[in-house]
């Protein structure tokens, strides 16, 4: 018997980053015009405190509105979402975000792998995963999952990354669709908004 | 990777064989946990796994342990504890007797944090702290008040950030990698099993804390649980949830007044 897979038809761009990625984000977001045809989700390794400084910074720098992620918030096109500190960020089939306090993965919570894998299950070929600078291995497994689900894999060019280890590790272990500098990532994201 | 339909079969079987209903739990989180266990225990086909769960009640216990998320910390989110210390405890202090309920207390780190604050406010002697969870194994740990010594550095920093001024290490005895918290703190604690999915209200409380439990529940179950808390909370009592949780989808917020930006609500009528 064929099982029926209900995959959301929302389009999602998910960006993961660790050490050095905030700089890349700040090269991309300020020049990214307001977009309408996808949701942008940002998962960065951050300090485990309960403050909202990252959300506030991104709100300040981005042209598109940032929506805070809380329990039972639904993903919508045309907004930026930031994974909150000290929770893993998961995705439900009906586009609701789900938060989870389980063990750190790759010493991180939020973990990029966890979010990428969960997003891949729901958004499949409607998903673009972008991995930025960092100095650990988080993100590689997640990109593999995105690739297997038919999504597009973009990795920051390690030459342009403050911390090249994380993107290099991902390039070694996946077959990325694109390897891009932050300026090229910006152009790429602009090109998919239609 | 298990399939969605397999997860649903597992949920149905657990209900049929053991009476526990995971039907209203967040699927994203549940699926990840079940997958993890399935691979950890080296199963290669789903029916092997399913029949193990059905026929081996010890394995079922392991399943419950592993798929419920029990991660917790002392003084997690220090600003939350600071508000409790400075704004809530002084209001509760006027009562002759204070009843608290930690629902989904896991291994008890939050409960001991609360007992420390009550003691420092001079209120512990007239308080009673009920702490409940569905997982009997975590309750056993909580009763002992024994936590890993390697966590104490982080906890004492949290404690200080929450406004604590004592020497945090005076609250426990360190021994062979463990920190055993003073019995005095546990004297006012009552631990018992209570299932938020199916059990009812069992007392009236002045302060109910249920942090990072509702994130695992769907909207309907959240509604049930918030109404259960409402039925268990005295007028002018407080309800505290996790930093990303809210009561707003579950109950009329005219009955409750939120403390500014905190996830703390006071029942006003
Ligand atoms: C992530 S822990 C939260 C611990 C603590 N409150 C904190 O925030 O640090 C979630 C707890 O909820 C418990 N739990 C899950 N389902 C439950 C239910 N139906 N009834 C009671 N407790 C439940 C789990 O066993 C687990 O210990």
């Amino acid at each position: 018997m064929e099982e029926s897979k209900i995959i959301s038809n929302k389009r999602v761009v998910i960006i993961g980053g660790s050490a050095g990625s905030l700089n890349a984000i700040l090269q991309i977001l300020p020049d990214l015009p307001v977009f309408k045809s996808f949701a942008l989700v940002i998962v960065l390794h951050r300090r485990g405190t309960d403050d909202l400084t990252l959300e506030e910074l991104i709100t300040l720098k981005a042209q598109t509105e940032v929506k805070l992620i809380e329990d039972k918030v639904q993903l919508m096109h045309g907004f930026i979402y930031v994974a909150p500190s000290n929770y893993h960020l998961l995705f439900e089939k009906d586009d609701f975000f789900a938060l989870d306090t389980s063990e750190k993965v790759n010493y991180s919570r939020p973990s990029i792998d966890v979010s990428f894998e969960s997003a891949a299950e729901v958004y499949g070929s409607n998903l673009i995963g972008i991995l930025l600078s960092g100095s650990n291995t988080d993100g590689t497994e997640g990109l593999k999952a995105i690739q297997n689900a038919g999504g597009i894999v973009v990795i920051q060019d390690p030459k342009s990354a403050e911390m090249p280890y994380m993107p290099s590790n991902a390039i070694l272990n996946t077959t990325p669709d694109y390897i891009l500098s932050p300026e090229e990532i910006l152009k790429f994201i602009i090109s998919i908004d239609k | 990777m298990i399939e969605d339909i397999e997860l649903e079969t597992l949920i149905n079987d657990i209900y049929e064989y053991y009476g526990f209903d995971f039907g209203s739990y967040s699927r994203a989180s549940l699926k990840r946990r079940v997958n993890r266990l399935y691979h950890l225990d080296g199963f290669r086909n789903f029916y092997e796994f399913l029949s193990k769960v059905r026929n081996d009640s010890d394995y079922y216990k392991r399943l419950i342990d592993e798929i419920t998320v029990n991660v917790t910390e002392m003084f997690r989110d220090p600003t939350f504890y600071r508000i409790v210390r400075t704004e809530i405890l002084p209001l509760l202090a006027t009562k002759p007797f204070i009843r608290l309920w930690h629902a989904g207390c896991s291994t008890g780190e939050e409960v001991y944090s609360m007992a420390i604050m009550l003691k420092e406010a001079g209120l512990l002697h007239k308080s009673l702290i009920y702490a409940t969870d569905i997982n009997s194994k975590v309750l056993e740990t909580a009763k002992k008040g024994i936590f890993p010594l390697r966590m104490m550095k982080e906890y004492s920093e949290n404690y200080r950030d929450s406004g604590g001024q004592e020497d945090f290490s005076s609250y426990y005895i360190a021994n062979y990698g463990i920190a055993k918290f003073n019995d005095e703190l546990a004297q006012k604690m009552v631990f018992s099993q209570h299932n938020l999915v199916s059990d009812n209200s069992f007392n009236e409380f002045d302060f109910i804390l249920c942090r990072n439990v509702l994130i695992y529940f769907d909207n309907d179950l959240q509604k049930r649980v918030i109404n259960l808390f409402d039925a268990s909370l005295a007028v002018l009592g407080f309800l505290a949830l996790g930093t990303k949780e809210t009561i707003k989808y579950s109950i009329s917020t005219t009955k409750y007044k939120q403390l500014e930006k905190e996830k703390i609500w006071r029942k006003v009528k």
Side-chain angles (χ1 to χ4, degrees):
Chain A
M1 196 179 71
E2 256 294 274
E3 61 155 318
S4 58
K5 263 217 168 91
I6 310 147
I7 292 184
S8 166
N9 55 14
K10 290 274 190 320
R11 295 174 74 214
V12 176
V13 176
I14 186 164
I15 301 182
S18 185
S21 65
L22 191 58
N23 271 345
I25 294 270
L26 295 180
Q27 285 173 32
I28 298 168
L29 290 187
D31 296 321
L32 178 65
V34 173
F35 53 83
K36 285 270 169 258
S37 64
F38 58 88
L40 179 61
V41 181
I42 299 174
V43 183
L44 300 190
H45 292 168
R46 50 194 296 195
R47 249 173 359 109
T49 44
D50 48 341
D51 53 33
L52 290 170
T53 37
L54 181 62
E55 283 83 346
E56 281 159 6
L57 179 67
I58 291 178
T59 305
L60 208 68
K61 298 289 181 183
Q63 300 180 30
T64 304
E65 189 181 334
V66 175
K67 273 226 152 99
L68 286 187
I69 296 184
E70 293 217 329
D71 182 43
K72 305 291 177 283
V73 164
Q74 197 170 21
L75 175 145
M76 289 185 298
H77 283 174
F79 293 98
I80 296 174
Y81 300 89
V82 181
S85 67
N86 231 347
Y87 290 87
H88 289 303
L89 178 67
L90 305 173
F91 300 81
E92 301 280 4
K93 299 260 130 95
D94 49 9
D95 297 317
F96 284 93
F97 290 104
L99 297 168
D100 178 314
T101 60
S102 57
E103 300 77 7
K104 291 181 177 175
V105 173
N106 305 319
Y107 310 100
S108 309
R109 190 175 52 219
S111 141
I112 302 166
D113 279 342
V114 169
S115 292
F116 279 16
E117 285 167 6
S118 175
E121 264 204 65
V122 177
Y123 298 104
S125 59
N126 287 326
L127 180 66
I128 296 170
I130 304 178
L131 190 70
L132 303 175
S133 167
S135 47
N136 70 15
T137 59
D138 201 13
T140 296
E141 289 304 313
L143 286 179
K144 280 188 201 163
I146 291 176
Q147 195 141 50
N148 289 337
I152 292 174
V153 166
V154 180
I155 299 174
Q156 180 177 2
D157 187 340
K159 288 199 290 290
S160 73
E162 232 169 87
M163 298 287 174
Y165 184 77
M166 197 162 85
S168 300
N169 184 67
I171 290 170
L172 276 178
N173 292 289
T174 61
T175 34
D177 296 284
Y178 304 96
I179 298 174
L180 305 173
S181 67
E183 303 83 70
E184 292 165 333
I185 292 174
L186 169 64
K187 284 190 203 127
F188 174 76
I189 299 177
I190 293 172
S191 77
I192 61 163
D193 189 25
K194 43 187 178 274
Chain B
M1 197 66 146
I2 66 162
E3 300 290 336
D4 292 346
I5 187 149
E6 293 173 336
L7 181 64
E8 298 310 313
T9 312
L10 177 70
I11 291 171
N12 284 333
D13 277 15
I14 290 175
Y15 186 62
E16 197 176 308
Y17 284 73
Y18 299 98
F20 191 87
D21 190 0
F22 278 109
S24 302
Y25 279 58
S26 148
R27 291 300 190 268
S29 171
L30 205 54
K31 190 167 178 191
R32 188 172 158 255
R33 303 294 292 179
V34 172
N35 248 318
R36 183 178 151 274
L37 179 67
Y38 180 87
H39 291 292
L40 210 62
D41 290 352
F43 288 101
R44 255 165 296 134
N45 100 42
F46 183 72
Y47 285 92
E48 191 190 324
F49 176 57
L50 206 58
S51 90
K52 183 89 176 158
V53 175
R54 283 179 185 159
N55 301 317
D56 181 345
S57 62
D58 284 336
Y59 191 74
Y60 166 70
K61 285 207 191 96
R62 171 169 169 75
L63 174 94
I64 294 292
D65 269 2
E66 292 296 324
I67 67 179
T68 56
V69 173
N70 304 120
V71 175
T72 180
E73 274 172 44
M74 291 188 81
F75 296 98
R76 180 187 164 117
D77 311 322
T79 40
F80 166 77
Y81 284 93
R82 181 184 288 274
I83 300 280
V84 171
R85 199 189 277 276
T86 57
E87 302 197 15
I88 298 188
L89 296 189
L91 291 169
L92 296 179
T94 58
K95 311 197 78 132
F97 192 66
I98 309 167
R99 284 199 177 86
L100 302 97
W101 177 18
H102 284 268
C105 66
S106 190
T107 39
E109 280 82 339
E110 269 188 341
V111 191
Y112 284 81
S113 307
M114 181 61 81
I116 288 173
M117 292 203 302
L118 287 166
K119 180 173 151 49
E120 291 179 1
L123 302 175
L124 188 59
H125 69 282
K126 61 169 180 175
S127 303
L128 197 53
I129 315 177
Y130 288 82
T132 62
D133 204 285
I134 36 152
N135 184 330
S136 55
K137 198 166 151 193
V138 294
L139 290 173
E140 285 310 313
T141 307
K143 270 182 211 159
K144 296 195 187 108
I146 291 177
F147 306 123
L149 191 58
R150 67 187 148 77
M151 300 304 296
M152 292 304 135
K153 184 169 172 287
E154 188 182 333
Y155 292 171
S156 77
E157 281 163 18
N158 285 353
Y159 165 77
R160 231 174 308 120
D161 292 345
S162 78
Q165 293 179 349
E166 302 297 316
D167 174 8
F168 187 68
S169 66
S170 69
Y171 289 113
Y172 60 84
I173 295 166
N175 211 347
Y176 298 106
I178 58 168
K180 162 92 180 79
F181 278 72
N182 302 345
D183 286 336
E184 185 199 359
L185 295 171
Q187 263 168 20
K188 298 294 183 172
M189 298 176 188
V190 179
F191 291 97
S192 67
Q193 225 171 347
H194 179 278
N195 184 350
L196 294 166
V197 175
S198 50
D199 290 338
N200 291 324
S201 174
F202 58 95
N203 211 328
E204 190 176 77
F205 298 95
D206 307 298
F207 193 5
I208 298 177
L209 298 99
C210 182
R211 308 185 68 225
N212 299 311
V213 180
L214 296 182
I215 45 175
Y216 301 102
F217 294 171
D218 71 12
N219 274 317
D220 289 340
L221 181 53
Q222 287 196 1
K223 229 171 255 168
R224 173 192 201 271
V225 174
I226 295 292
N227 280 290
L228 168 65
F229 292 155
D230 184 51
S232 312
L233 195 60
V235 175
L236 299 183
F238 295 93
L239 171 64
L241 303 180
T243 43
K244 300 294 164 194
E245 295 165 331
T246 180
I247 63 169
K248 76 177 178 213
Y249 308 119
S250 305
I251 199 161
S252 149
T253 41
T254 58
K255 266 181 104 168
Y256 283 85
K257 193 169 176 299
Q258 187 169 6
L259 263 74
E260 289 176 41
K261 281 184 184 159
E262 295 303 317
K263 294 308 172 71
I264 304 174
W265 289 266
R266 188 169 205 193
K267 183 170 176 175
V268 288
K269 60 183 179 205

